[in-house]
Amino acid sequence: MLVAFESEKTCRRIREILECSGTASCLVCRSGDQVRRLVNKRHITAVVCGFKLADETAADVLEDLPPFCAMLVLAPQDQLDLLRSDRLLPLPAPTSRGALLEGVERLLQMGREAEGALSRRDGAERELIQRAKALLMTRDAMTEDEAHHFLQKKSMDQGTKLVQVARKVLEAP
């Protein structure tokens, strides 16, 4: 699990609660850029964060995260009212230790469900996506992570499935 707050003190406190309770082991960071890198590099499915990180808001970060990643945002209710996503779990602050742990359990479940949905993608679709990534890596000198992020971003921007974007990449001249 990834814990990301603008305040280092808040990061340490949330991490301590989650690890001491046995709920999750945590990595800590303070910026949206760090969240993106760690989620993609380590295939992290759950992020607990505040409304604002050191460089941007949680909503901006969530837009760039892969579909298997869910986010719990701990913030005042007026800020939570600004957030809308089926991959986002709002938790009003201040909150109790019990409510935080319960929210994190739901977040972890959301991450498992999203990951399960992705793993059910049939072999032909996975192969198509891999071929599109390979083409981007060769043609545009991208790393595998960059190619995957490119496909995900296009998918989110266009509101289409990842496999449809992969098809378009392979069909382009």
Side-chain angles (χ1 to χ4, degrees):
M1 164 160 302
L2 188 56
V3 175
F5 287 87
E6 193 170 25
S7 159
E8 189 173 328
K9 181 180 175 185
T10 303
C11 285
R12 283 195 315 263
R13 189 174 37 198
I14 299 293
R15 176 183 178 179
E16 182 179 307
I17 290 169
L18 296 177
E19 289 184 344
C20 288
S21 69
T23 302
S25 59
C26 304
L27 295 172
V28 173
C29 65
R30 296 182 48 216
S31 74
D33 187 51
Q34 290 171 326
V35 170
R36 280 187 203 86
R37 279 197 314 259
L38 287 168
V39 164
N40 287 310
K41 184 176 182 178
R42 299 196 178 204
H43 199 74
I44 294 171
T45 62
V47 177
V48 176
C49 66
F51 181 80
K52 181 163 179 354
L53 300 172
D55 55 353
E56 59 193 311
T57 67
D60 293 334
V61 175
L62 184 61
E63 285 180 17
D64 292 336
L65 295 182
F68 60 78
C69 188
M71 181 181 279
L72 182 145
V73 178
L74 180 62
Q77 187 62 52
D78 62 325
Q79 292 177 335
L80 294 175
D81 291 340
L82 302 173
L83 303 174
R84 297 281 178 252
S85 173
D86 59 344
R87 295 187 302 142
L88 187 135
L89 183 63
L91 184 61
T95 192
S96 68
R97 182 180 189 276
L100 174 64
L101 294 174
E102 182 180 310
V104 169
E105 287 294 337
R106 284 188 302 185
L107 177 70
L108 292 171
Q109 181 61 35
M110 287 170 66
R112 286 190 292 271
E113 289 170 1
E115 199 167 35
L118 287 177
S119 69
R120 289 189 293 273
R121 185 179 276 150
D122 72 29
E125 288 180 348
R126 279 194 303 271
E127 174 61 26
L128 192 71
I129 292 165
Q130 290 296 2
R131 287 185 17 232
K133 286 196 301 188
L135 175 65
L136 290 169
M137 291 165 61
T138 304
R139 185 187 72 197
D140 299 335
M142 292 183 182
T143 66
E144 184 173 5
D145 283 345
E146 290 169 336
H148 188 74
H149 181 74
F150 174 85
L151 293 172
Q152 286 177 325
K153 182 95 170 98
K154 285 284 187 196
S155 171
M156 288 186 282
D157 290 348
Q158 296 172 3
T160 59
K161 292 185 176 186
L162 190 63
V163 69
Q164 292 171 314
V165 173
R167 263 193 208 99
K168 288 179 185 176
V169 166
L170 291 169
E171 293 168 356

